[in-house]
Amino acid sequence: MDKIKRNERLAVMTQVLTASPNRIFTLSHFCELFSTAKSTVSEDVAILQGAMRQFGLGQLETVTGAAGGVRYRPIGMKAYSRDFVEMICDKLREENRRLPGGYLYFSDILSDPELVRGMGQLIAGQYYDVGADFVLTMETKGIPVALATAEALRVPMIIARHSTKVYEGSAVNISYVSGSGSIESMALSRRAVKDGQKALLVDDFCRGGGTARGMIELMKEFSVQVVGCCFVLAVESEKQQVMAGEKALMLLSDMRDGADFSIRPADWIK
């Protein structure tokens, strides 16, 4: 095999690492791939770390220990920062988005791959240290962002459904009070999660927090700990808190009184 140049190694390493966020690659993996010494690969990693830090492309971390190596995390990316969320807010401020019942139309936002990827990476960046084993969402609009978050965390995504599906086997069913005050049902296959795991809740919208509280109660049935909760959009109200430390990408003024609404990025987004 011909000797591989450094610029070629850097290009391949960048692709491999960014295509698998939060996965640890040993230095030996790249040594075998490029047929080069570990000291050379270490130098390549240092170059990539500096470049990503300088241009705001995420973090490349060195993990020590027997199972250590290097991993990429899309944290602090300039492309997905407060300006990115403000751009989404601008889209949501457009005319004719108000829906009956005090809702806002944003299904088009949740179906845009680039926007969904950015929102998922922003959310994931807040929860790398909580040790979530999976991302839980409620069907159906929250699925795209939940999947993008799960991809960035490198964990599975689990979907709670309104009714049991025969192809998922036996399930746990609970009733909960939705944000509108109605009684709804929620179901999850018994095979979907295991006792003692940790869940991160991700959903599209929160007004009263009824659905999120339902998911928390559902996790209790499985003896699963909920370690975080994040929404794409939440009504700005102190009364809606679901759990300590919950987050939302964007905050919306309550529109049920018919007044003009406002929407802004959450304060934690820099």
Side-chain angles (χ1 to χ4, degrees):
M1 184 176 182
D2 294 337
K3 184 177 181 180
I4 301 175
K5 298 178 181 178
R6 168 157 282 168
N7 59 348
E8 295 174 331
R9 293 198 306 270
L10 293 177
V12 173
M13 290 176 67
T14 301
Q15 171 61 27
V16 170
L17 290 164
T18 57
S20 300
N22 211 33
R23 176 182 173 182
I24 298 176
F25 290 88
T26 63
L27 295 186
S28 298
H29 172 82
F30 292 111
C31 290
E32 295 174 3
L33 181 63
F34 301 129
S35 299
T36 190
K38 187 172 293 187
S39 59
T40 301
V41 173
S42 296
E43 293 174 1
D44 293 343
V45 169
I47 293 173
L48 288 178
Q49 286 175 324
M52 289 184 177
R53 183 169 51 250
Q54 179 180 355
F55 293 97
L57 300 176
Q59 292 183 6
L60 196 59
E61 301 178 347
T62 301
V63 182
T64 58
V70 60
R71 68 184 171 197
Y72 170 77
R73 287 178 169 178
I75 301 175
M77 296 185 66
K78 290 182 179 179
Y80 302 131
S81 61
R82 192 173 186 86
D83 289 341
F84 169 75
V85 180
E86 185 63 56
M87 178 267 291
I88 299 176
C89 290
D90 288 340
K91 291 179 178 289
L92 294 177
R93 295 186 189 110
E94 296 171 354
E95 297 181 3
N96 302 321
R97 283 194 177 267
R98 185 193 295 267
L99 300 173
Y103 293 95
L104 191 70
Y105 176 78
F106 67 116
S107 294
D108 57 331
I109 302 297
L110 298 177
S111 61
D112 186 309
E114 182 177 357
L115 299 182
V116 166
R117 184 185 309 112
M119 290 187 287
Q121 291 182 349
L122 266 175
I123 294 172
Q126 299 298 304
Y127 296 103
Y128 276 114
D129 297 328
V130 301
D133 294 299
F134 61 90
V135 173
L136 177 70
T137 192
M138 186 70 187
E139 63 177 2
T140 55
K141 290 194 297 181
I143 291 175
V145 175
L147 182 59
T149 304
E151 180 184 24
L153 291 173
R154 199 169 176 263
V155 298
M157 180 194 67
I158 306 296
I159 303 171
R161 302 190 182 277
H162 293 292
S163 60
T164 304
K165 303 297 182 182
V166 64
Y167 51 79
E168 293 189 339
S170 63
V172 173
N173 292 266
I174 67 167
S175 297
Y176 68 98
V177 181
S178 69
S180 62
S182 61
I183 304 298
E184 303 285 351
S185 296
M186 186 180 297
L188 184 64
S189 170
R190 294 183 183 275
R191 302 184 185 189
V193 301
K194 299 177 181 179
D195 289 356
Q197 287 189 312
K198 297 179 180 179
L200 170 64
L201 307 188
V202 176
D203 208 359
D204 63 312
F205 183 68
C206 179
R207 168 172 284 162
T211 301
R213 291 189 186 94
M215 287 193 284
I216 292 174
E217 291 301 314
L218 183 62
M219 290 297 94
K220 289 180 181 179
E221 296 292 326
F222 287 88
S223 299
V224 169
Q225 178 187 359
V226 176
V227 293
C229 181
C230 192
F231 306 98
V232 174
L233 183 64
V235 176
E236 195 166 8
S237 170
E238 296 181 358
K239 298 179 181 180
Q240 71 171 10
Q241 191 174 50
V242 174
M243 61 178 291
E246 73 175 60
K247 298 179 183 292
L249 293 180
M250 296 170 285
L251 299 174
L252 171 71
S253 62
D254 199 329
M255 301 190 299
R256 283 179 290 189
D257 57 5
D260 291 338
F261 69 92
S262 63
I263 183 170
R264 65 179 182 85
D267 296 333
W268 61 268
I269 300 175
K270 305 301 182 181

